[in-house]
Amino acid sequence: MNPYRRAPSILIPAILVYVFLYAPIVGLILYSFNASRTNVTFEGFIPSFSGRVVMEGSLVKSAPCGPFHWYCDLAKNSDVLEAAGNTLTIAFTATILSTIIGTMAALAMQRYDFKLKPFTQLSLYIPIVIPEIVMGIGILTLFSQFFGWFNGLFGLTGDARLSMGIVTVTVSHIAFMVPFVTLVVQARLQGFDKAYEEAAMDLGANEWTTFRRVTFPMILPGVLSGALLAFTLSLDDFVITFFTNGPGSTTLPIYVYGLLRRIITPQVNALSTVWILIVFLAVLLLQWLQSREAKPQHE
Amino acid sequence: MLKRLRENKSAQGTLLALPTTVWMFILLIIPLLLTLVISFGKRSPDGEVIYTFSFDNYLRLMGFSSCDGGQSLCFDPIYLQILWRSLQLAFNTTVLVILMAYPLAYFIARADPKRRNTFLFMVLIPLWTNFVIRVYAWMMLLRKEGAVNIVIGTVAKWLGIDFVPLELLYTPGAVLIGMVYEFLPFMILPIFTSLEKIENSLYEAAADLGAGSFRTFLRVTLPLSMPGVVAGTILVFIPVMGTFIVSDILGGRQYILVGNLIQRQFLDARDPAFGSAASLILMVMTLVVTYFYTRKFGFGEEIIAA
């Protein structure tokens, strides 16, 4: 019997698991076109375009954007736009910082021996093996104790008080992103042929030139996929953000979570659909980067 | 000065690792130590922490509390039940996830190499879709008017059976389904990685020695894919133990897991000392389970692949 031939029995379970993975996503997208405002049952698509929104009970009969009514509605929602802005600000800042210090740490861990190494290793390992909530409430406690003490010490009141906000969220995001950046860059450094660097040094380049012209270009795909992974982790994060955000620093996951406890219109589905689309593109980009990285580079 | 640094390799390494080390020290190590210190503290009437050294919070978690105004010790296992429920749920989720992930990972690993990337890509999309959105999707599906009831209703009608839509949302089953859905991709990827690493020559050898496809699977494929299963288990078990959104949204107010317990101590109940103790117990529980599990089955590099 040919051992390579796929047993037909495996095809059906595989399809069923794919159905399980995609049914919720398909449902989510379908309901974003729902004519029903209450969004409990699917009442069909919004049939026509018109200058203004025409409602009949809880059903939207026609709207300026037609079937895409909820998407247009979403674009006008200032809370969503603010949350999206916060999410991106935090993700960009945290990604840049965590990529820089994470890459430095990866170089240190892979290339050097130093006294601090076991401790650094441990602190990079812990976030991966403890539940996120443990880290989240730890950071919450740290900030609230520190802010309480600091505000009391300087007698700060009102808006002058230190409090949770975009800064605390960003700083905390970096803490859980760095281990992943380091992991990815270290994996790239492991497959790195030191002969290139030695050749550069032999030809008279100093350490900095060697790093800038040889090492960095070669590990760049690894750094980029580490950065992209970090970026996605930050966009996606709920738990750490939940415990470290404050007024004015609501991110999209926190915003959606808040909505789920109130009345849900198809707008939430429209938001989810846009988000899924962005993720789709991001994963495509990540795969493209990794396929480039997989090819050996000879120059 | 610069010249001395150039010659001192150890100082270079320290300098490169310093920003990360300091960052992790402030935002990971100190918070964990602070959690430990506070867990021995007490709650003041206005919800602040009073620093003391008492084991009250831990005793309370174990079910012992003083009652009759401190005259006697009462036993109420409510928190033990929550811990046990979380462990059970994490166990059940992990088992179900393995049963679903393995066939799919096997299918992808054996697929035509040209299509393999597409199949993998299809696993990554749900994985990277936001956690909260995925819970919301199941909330819609499991409602009385949701798709699951519509599908069952249609089948029942077709078979001529009377069907009253089921109340699926806000049940322990809904939480289990939500958890399985959330963490399924974390199992598929490491199992796939370890299956992909198995060399074809091993299958050839098994076939040459007369093993059928079932025996080949049992004696070659399964043992060699165990590192992937172990890595996946760690990636699933740890977060399931600590997650509170799934139970919050799909389980309703009554269904409490350790994650919900901790979250409520910090936000609603305002008892950070008790919450810290619960958080440490959670951490110890996951570390102990992970430690014994990895010691028994080994710790594969597959964990990095995911």
Side-chain angles (χ1 to χ4, degrees):
Chain A
M1 200 171 165
N2 183 355
Y4 300 125
R5 220 181 62 199
R6 199 183 309 126
S9 56
I10 206 73
L11 183 67
I12 293 153
I15 291 174
L16 286 177
V17 176
Y18 272 127
V19 169
F20 178 72
L21 282 174
Y22 278 89
I25 294 178
V26 172
L28 206 62
I29 296 174
L30 178 71
Y31 275 67
S32 75
F33 297 103
N34 201 348
S36 161
R37 201 191 136 71
T38 51
N39 210 17
V40 172
T41 50
F42 189 72
E43 303 285 354
F45 296 97
I46 298 167
S48 59
F49 292 86
S50 65
R52 55 185 195 86
V53 180
V54 180
M55 300 279 293
E56 195 183 289
S58 66
L59 290 188
V60 180
K61 280 293 163 197
S62 66
C65 301
F68 297 97
H69 171 62
W70 301 111
Y71 290 87
C72 292
D73 219 28
L74 181 72
K76 281 184 266 172
N77 185 333
S78 59
D79 289 344
V80 169
L81 297 180
E82 197 201 319
N86 287 339
T87 313
L88 287 175
T89 311
I90 293 162
F92 271 115
T93 320
T95 301
I96 292 168
L97 284 170
S98 65
T99 306
I100 294 171
I101 68 170
T103 304
M104 284 165 62
L107 278 166
M109 302 312 282
Q110 196 64 33
R111 294 286 179 79
Y112 298 93
D113 271 316
F114 48 99
K115 266 213 188 95
L116 218 57
K117 197 170 177 177
F119 178 76
T120 311
Q121 188 71 65
L122 182 73
S123 64
L124 288 171
Y125 182 69
I126 292 175
I128 300 174
V129 295
I130 62 171
E132 221 182 337
I133 190 172
V134 176
M135 194 167 161
I137 62 120
I139 296 178
L140 168 71
T141 310
L142 172 73
F143 282 134
S144 63
Q145 296 290 315
F146 175 73
F147 289 165
W149 170 79
F150 191 88
N151 291 336
L153 189 66
F154 292 99
L156 301 174
T157 49
D159 281 347
R161 277 181 308 178
L162 291 181
S163 62
M164 300 289 206
I166 287 205
V167 175
T168 49
V169 177
T170 311
V171 160
S172 317
H173 274 209
I174 294 171
F176 79 78
M177 287 152 74
V178 167
F180 291 95
V181 175
T182 311
L183 216 61
V184 173
V185 178
Q186 240 184 305
R188 174 79 193 177
L189 277 166
Q190 263 162 12
F192 187 92
D193 192 349
K194 269 190 145 175
Y196 292 103
E197 286 172 320
E198 282 157 15
M201 303 276 263
D202 284 347
L203 293 170
N206 63 21
E207 282 95 343
W208 174 240
T209 314
T210 308
F211 177 76
R212 203 162 49 91
R213 303 292 294 271
V214 179
T215 318
F216 189 69
M218 288 187 77
I219 61 167
L220 186 62
V223 175
L224 283 182
S225 52
L228 207 55
L229 175 68
F231 189 73
T232 337
L233 285 173
S234 171
L235 283 188
D236 217 36
D237 181 71
F238 175 80
V239 179
I240 299 284
T241 318
F242 183 79
F243 289 109
T244 51
N245 81 351
S249 63
T250 304
T251 62
L252 282 174
I254 304 291
Y255 177 75
V256 173
Y257 177 75
L259 285 183
L260 296 190
R261 318 178 128 256
R262 282 179 258 143
I263 300 160
I264 308 159
T265 67
Q267 218 192 73
V268 186
N269 295 63
L271 175 61
S272 309
T273 307
V274 173
W275 203 332
I276 292 167
L277 215 68
I278 294 171
V279 165
F280 184 81
L281 294 175
V283 176
L284 264 185
L285 184 68
L286 190 71
Q287 288 239 316
W288 179 73
L289 274 175
Q290 277 171 347
S291 71
R292 258 175 49 126
E293 192 186 351
K295 286 178 201 141
Q297 295 181 339
H298 290 293
E299 194 65 64
Chain B
M1 167 84 184
L2 207 66
K3 195 172 169 221
R4 267 182 57 195
L5 182 64
R6 189 170 278 178
E7 277 151 18
N8 189 344
K9 281 272 174 194
S10 160
Q12 286 173 16
T14 312
L15 222 55
L16 279 171
L18 204 60
T20 292
T21 314
V22 170
W23 206 289
M24 297 312 282
F25 182 71
I26 295 175
L27 285 148
L28 179 75
I29 308 297
I30 292 185
L32 288 180
L33 293 175
L34 205 56
T35 308
L36 181 70
V37 171
I38 284 181
S39 73
F40 296 113
K42 271 194 186 123
R43 174 189 191 276
S44 77
D46 56 347
E48 294 296 311
V49 183
I50 303 170
Y51 292 92
T52 53
F53 188 78
S54 84
F55 288 96
D56 283 2
N57 293 316
Y58 291 97
L59 285 172
R60 208 173 130 201
L61 272 170
M62 293 304 124
F64 301 102
S65 54
S66 57
C67 49
D68 305 331
Q71 293 299 302
S72 54
L73 206 62
C74 293
F75 182 73
D76 179 6
I78 177 160
Y79 299 118
L80 285 178
Q81 282 165 358
I82 292 173
L83 288 170
W84 178 239
R85 184 184 300 147
S86 306
L87 259 179
Q88 264 184 320
L89 179 72
F91 180 79
N92 292 342
T93 306
T94 310
V95 170
L96 271 176
V97 163
I98 293 174
L99 290 179
M100 289 174 81
Y102 204 100
L104 188 61
Y106 190 80
F107 170 79
I108 300 174
R110 288 296 188 87
D112 184 342
K114 275 183 234 152
R115 289 199 214 131
R116 201 180 288 160
N117 269 341
T118 315
F119 289 143
L120 262 185
F121 183 73
M122 283 168 68
V123 176
L124 293 179
I125 296 301
L127 170 68
W128 287 117
T129 299
N130 188 268
F131 202 88
V132 184
I133 291 180
R134 283 187 281 161
V135 192
Y136 169 53
W138 275 101
M139 186 179 163
M140 298 198 70
L141 289 182
L142 292 172
R143 279 201 291 230
K144 222 173 192 168
E145 306 83 1
V148 174
N149 269 318
I150 294 173
V151 170
I152 301 174
T154 315
V155 174
K157 204 171 163 192
W158 187 60
L159 294 171
I161 306 167
D162 277 337
F163 175 72
V164 184
L166 303 166
E167 199 64 78
L168 299 167
L169 199 55
Y170 309 128
T171 60
V175 179
L176 181 63
I177 292 176
M179 288 287 194
V180 169
Y181 186 72
E182 293 283 8
F183 295 103
L184 184 57
F186 290 99
M187 186 66 83
I188 297 172
L189 293 180
I191 295 182
F192 165 77
T193 311
S194 59
L195 281 173
E196 200 196 21
K197 273 199 293 201
I198 304 174
E199 283 183 32
N200 272 335
S201 56
L202 284 172
Y203 295 122
E204 278 162 27
D208 286 349
L209 294 170
S213 58
F214 184 67
R215 261 190 72 176
T216 308
F217 175 78
L218 220 58
R219 305 295 291 272
V220 178
T221 319
L222 197 59
L224 286 173
S225 62
M226 274 318 276
V229 178
V230 173
T233 302
I234 289 163
L235 289 173
V236 172
F237 189 87
I238 297 171
V240 172
M241 283 296 290
T243 300
F244 61 86
I245 328 171
V246 179
S247 40
D248 208 23
I249 289 170
L250 300 177
R253 291 298 277 178
Q254 282 80 39
Y255 192 82
I256 301 172
L257 299 173
V258 202
N260 305 90
L261 177 70
I262 297 170
Q263 181 227 345
R264 284 177 199 186
Q265 299 313 313
F266 279 87
L267 296 161
D268 308 341
R270 313 236 333 127
D271 191 350
F274 185 58
S276 297
S279 169
L280 280 181
I281 293 284
L282 167 65
M283 188 173 95
V284 169
M285 266 164 69
T286 50
L287 287 180
V288 166
V289 172
T290 314
Y291 176 74
F292 282 108
Y293 190 75
T294 48
R295 220 177 51 155
K296 190 145 187 252
F297 295 104
F299 197 61
E301 61 188 44
E302 273 76 5
I303 203 152
I304 297 165

